[in-house]
Amino acid sequence: MLEKKAPNGVLVICEQSNDGIHRVAYELLHKGKEIAQSLNEPLECIVLGYKIQALSELSHRCADNIFVMDAKCFDKPEEVLYKKNLVKFIEDRRPNIILIGATEFGRSLAPRVACALKTGLTADCTDLIINDEKDFIQVRPAFSDNILAHIKTVTYPKICTVRYKEFDEADIDIEHKCKITNIEPYFTQVDHTTVSNIFKFNDKAISEADVIVAVGRGLRDKEDLNMFGVLADLLGGMVGASRAIVDAGLVPSSMQIGYSGNRVKPRIYIACGISGAPQHVAGMKESDIIIAINRDPSAPIFNIADYGFVGDFYEIIPMLIQRLRKRGF
């Protein structure tokens, strides 16, 4: 009986997004290249999807090999089907390290893959390090970003999800050539599960927004969300929310910003009725400009805000909307 080959290589699982490649994949390739070079191992990636676009751009982003499963069965994000195909590919390819974007889909897919492979998973990493002993160290915040945990996985493959917008994207090098290999799906259907429809609150993820108007516990009624939508539309942005609003069932979890929600880095972040708890701040503190509106002058959000307004946002937001409309927004 032939022995299995030793784990080797860094594998990036690239997520299809709106017929293209989710940009977190380019960030993972940038960091993955550093890791692969430190270990003197190849950098590879795999894309599963249907009518996949942007493969040409992906081929210039520093990977040594690209594997593509392009089939109709992947036209919907069915985690079980994706998992079954990825597990078979990983068992055949035997990568050492696997990087997955901590998107909504990635956070659902990664634990399924890790469980099937009987290996560990480190979620929501903010840094990845190869130490002097050539160990792969995964860094993630813990206790609402108060400490950074350094985790060393001892099983293979070593799998982690990485937060979006933590690293720069891999540069485009039009001279770079990589091998693209098309693979037929190992499985085209699964028993017991199917995706019948996909419902989206927004056309794009809130992590992509340049302007975010976020609402917190001060919201009195679901209908009052309309004024935040108006303000966000005027500024070309999106509406976000604190965990309290999501837990109250007023908005879907895709709008949640914070440690257990989305991490965002917009140009402008307007926090309305948000006190500034560490859990929320962990997800938005790197915004370029933070504007806070809160009735409590001692609210912690003012400690990180560039501009602060003490008052009731039920009075301030309509005034701001009126002023923007007068200026032609």
Side-chain angles (χ1 to χ4, degrees):
M1 180 173 138
L2 294 175
E3 292 185 7
K4 288 185 178 179
K5 66 178 182 178
N8 183 61
V10 178
L11 176 68
V12 173
I13 297 178
C14 301
E15 180 180 335
Q16 181 179 237
S17 175
N18 297 324
D19 298 325
I21 304 297
H22 194 296
R23 305 206 71 83
V24 70
Y26 301 140
E27 298 178 10
L28 297 181
L29 285 170
H30 177 246
K31 193 62 180 180
K33 188 65 174 180
E34 292 180 8
I35 296 168
Q37 289 177 338
S38 297
L39 298 174
N40 195 27
E41 296 182 5
L43 173 65
E44 300 179 331
C45 62
I46 182 169
V47 189
L48 285 73
Y50 181 53
K51 296 182 179 179
I52 301 169
Q53 304 296 319
L55 282 179
S56 176
E57 179 180 356
L58 183 63
S59 69
H60 297 305
R61 294 276 190 168
C62 79
D64 297 307
N65 295 298
I66 298 175
F67 299 92
V68 180
M69 285 191 200
D70 192 327
K72 180 69 168 63
C73 61
F74 299 126
D75 65 339
K76 292 186 175 69
E78 170 48 73
E79 293 99 329
V80 178
L81 180 61
Y82 274 68
K83 180 265 294 184
K84 289 189 68 173
N85 281 277
L86 283 170
V87 167
K88 183 66 170 69
F89 173 82
I90 291 166
E91 288 175 339
D92 292 345
R93 197 69 188 171
R94 299 273 293 168
N96 180 15
I97 295 168
I98 299 174
L99 309 181
I100 303 174
T103 60
E104 287 188 22
F105 184 66
R107 284 171 170 163
S108 178
L109 176 65
R112 299 172 190 270
V113 173
C115 183
L117 293 170
K118 295 181 172 61
T119 190
L121 167 68
T122 303
D124 286 340
C125 294
T126 57
D127 200 6
L128 305 171
I129 301 169
I130 301 296
N131 66 14
D132 293 339
E133 288 74 37
K134 300 299 181 181
D135 295 320
F136 178 54
I137 306 299
Q138 301 142 93
V139 182
R140 72 177 308 277
F143 298 102
S144 298
D145 272 7
N146 288 317
I147 67 169
L148 291 175
H150 288 61
I151 299 170
K152 174 183 172 182
T153 304
V154 296
T155 52
Y156 292 92
K158 303 165 185 177
I159 305 179
C160 64
T161 61
V162 181
R163 292 185 183 182
Y164 185 28
K165 295 192 176 180
E166 284 294 343
F167 306 121
D168 294 332
E169 293 185 1
D171 292 333
I172 295 177
D173 181 1
I174 60 174
E175 301 297 327
H176 177 74
K177 303 294 182 183
C178 73
K179 183 179 180 181
I180 299 179
T181 303
N182 291 294
I183 305 174
E184 290 296 318
Y186 303 102
F187 308 94
T188 58
Q189 62 182 19
V190 292
D191 297 330
H192 310 303
T193 63
T194 183
V195 176
S196 60
N197 207 342
I198 300 171
F199 298 93
K200 290 186 176 182
F201 189 84
N202 293 306
D203 292 332
K204 66 177 183 178
I206 197 167
S207 55
E208 301 284 350
D210 286 333
V211 177
I212 294 176
V213 180
V215 58
R217 196 183 299 272
L219 186 71
R220 299 170 192 160
D221 190 274
K222 187 173 183 177
E223 292 183 357
D224 297 337
L225 283 168
N226 292 334
M227 67 176 173
F228 297 98
V230 171
L231 178 59
D233 287 343
L234 289 173
L235 297 173
M238 297 175 65
V239 177
S242 69
R243 181 172 180 172
I245 300 304
V246 174
D247 289 347
L250 298 178
V251 297
S253 60
S254 60
M255 294 173 63
Q256 182 179 333
I257 296 166
Y259 181 74
S260 56
N262 294 283
R263 183 175 182 275
V264 298
K265 295 171 65 177
R267 290 186 297 106
I268 300 174
Y269 189 90
I270 305 176
C272 306
I274 292 174
S275 64
Q279 194 278 343
H280 184 82
V281 170
M284 47 67 72
K285 62 184 179 183
E286 294 186 24
S287 305
D288 291 344
I289 298 174
I290 298 173
I291 301 171
I293 303 172
N294 201 292
R295 290 183 298 178
D296 181 3
S298 63
I301 192 69
F302 290 122
N303 295 330
I304 63 167
D306 298 287
Y307 302 94
F309 297 89
V310 177
D312 188 341
F313 64 67
Y314 276 94
E315 298 175 1
I316 295 174
I317 296 299
M319 291 170 58
L320 182 55
I321 291 171
Q322 185 180 33
R323 182 66 61 88
L324 289 171
R325 282 174 169 165
K326 283 184 178 180
R327 290 179 173 268
F329 280 79

